[in-house]
Structure formats: C-alpha cells, structure tokens
Amino acid sequence: MDTETVEDAATELVVAAAAVVERGQLLVVSKHAAPDLFYLPGGKPEPGESLRAALDRELREELGVAPSSATPLTEVRATAALEGVPIRLVVFRADLAGRPAPAAEIAALRWTGATVDPGLGLAPAVRHHVLPLVV
C-alpha cells in the first residue's frame, strides 16, 4: 500500500489521509475553499509519488508537522465530498511529531469524538467509515 503510486488508479481520485487520534478524539480539518466541511488531513499524490510520501508531504504542508509514525489502517471507496467524484481514501493511523496548526489551504482544525457535534460538517467517508474504527 505505501509504495503504490498515483498512476495505479487512473479512474478514481486517490487520497492519502491521516487518522490522528489523541485522547479519544480524531483530528479533522477544513479548507478555505469549503470551511464548513471537515475531513482527514492529507491529499493527492503527485505523479510518481508513493502514498506514504504524499502523506508526509501533505501533513507538513497542511499542518506544519511530520508524522512520527504512520501505519496503514483502511481504504474507503466513496464519493469525494467536495469534488463529487469516485475516491479511494487510503487512511494511515498516524502520530504527529509536534502540534498541528492550520497552514497552506487549511482553514481550521478540530478534534471530534464518537459523538459528533451536529453542527460539524463531517465528510461522510470520515463519519461512516473512519471514525468508527478509531474512536
């Protein structure tokens, strides 16, 4: 899973994402382009980039920190909440080396538990597939 490149799946959007859990809470982020929609930090691999390398790069760009560890957790096939296209979300269980802070296109970060605040616009793939696995 961690050596796969973006060329391996031309028909769906492939995203490497981090499930970061602290004190029973999952880290979620929103982008400036859609500040009311929260999902896992991460992003699309660049051509020839492995999923793990993309995860490391995206976490540095979006949160200003690198993962201190990242292990494969799950893959979710769904419809991308923003783009409305098929997505393959490759999720790594990750710990961060440092405190995350919004950077680049990230508007905000929040922590959510198993009981999600009704006002939190959590992406369906995160709400239904990732959250139950980690909190």
Side-chain angles (χ1 to χ4, degrees):
M1 181 186 310
D2 62 333
T3 59
E4 186 175 345
T5 61
V6 71
E7 292 88 2
D8 296 329
T11 60
E12 59 190 350
L13 182 64
V14 177
V15 174
V20 177
V21 178
E22 291 184 8
R23 294 182 213 97
Q25 301 279 304
L26 176 66
L27 176 66
V28 292
V29 299
S30 70
K31 289 187 177 183
H32 292 292
D36 297 326
L37 180 63
F38 285 80
Y39 48 90
L40 299 176
K44 299 176 276 261
E46 295 176 354
E49 185 178 40
S50 73
L51 293 169
R52 176 58 200 270
L55 180 74
D56 291 357
R57 176 182 51 75
E58 290 284 349
L59 292 178
R60 283 190 307 274
E61 290 173 3
E62 293 182 349
L63 302 176
V65 293
S68 58
S69 68
T71 56
L73 175 66
T74 191
E75 286 191 21
V76 177
R77 283 192 160 78
T79 300
L82 281 178
E83 296 88 347
V85 299
I87 185 173
R88 181 166 59 105
L89 184 65
V90 180
V91 183
F92 293 82
R93 179 73 183 251
D95 293 312
L96 302 178
R99 299 302 317 155
E105 73 268 17
I106 300 303
L109 62 84
R110 291 192 51 184
W111 296 89
T112 185
T115 303
V116 179
D117 175 350
L120 180 63
L122 196 58
V126 176
R127 180 183 300 270
H128 301 299
H129 300 284
V130 179
L131 196 59
L133 289 177
V134 297
V135 296

